[in-house]
Amino acid sequence: MRTLPGLKNWLLAFAALFLAFVLVSCGSGSVSTNTGQTGSVALLLTDAATDDFAEVNVTITRAELISDSLKVTILSTTKTVDLLKLEDETSLFALSSGVPSGWYNKIRLYVSNVELVKHDSTRIYPKLPGGWKIDLNPREAFFVKPGGTLLLQVDLDANKSIHVVKTGVEDKYIFRPV
């Protein structure tokens, strides 16, 4: 699904302004949750380009928000996404309601498969360090506001995430998301 360039820019600007508003209006503080009150979280994915591959397929089986005291699952359905198709767009990847309000400091993605497809159709299955988990640590904690919707945009930069280890015989690939 492609979005119109103007619509993409408007959506990105809206998401950035909304996130900035939530972060500024809530101030800073310790990472905690406010039990009994909930909000919603929308997880958006985007990617930067790479010319080395025709496809970069990542299968994600679960996504969590993590605070110092809580893990909240916001996606529990297996989804495969070709990161290269997200080069010029942002895609809604997960939408979850009933998320306990409060401060979170990490997004964790559980990955079951990474497939790199070269332009000659050669398929490569790189190693993913970290037990097939991708921990995304934003610079600052983020707040899920009671009754609100928090938009989180994750840019998985495929070009910087694929590392080639020259072994002399056959190159080894490592997928370490940036």
Side-chain angles (χ1 to χ4, degrees), residues 7 9 58 75 81 97 177:
L7 180 60
N9 291 338
V58 178
L75 173 76
V81 60
S97 59

Side-chain angles (χ1 to χ4, degrees), residues 91-105:
S91 176
L92 177 62
F93 188 72
L95 179 61
S96 182
S97 59
V99 176
S101 65
W103 289 98
Y104 295 86
N105 54 9

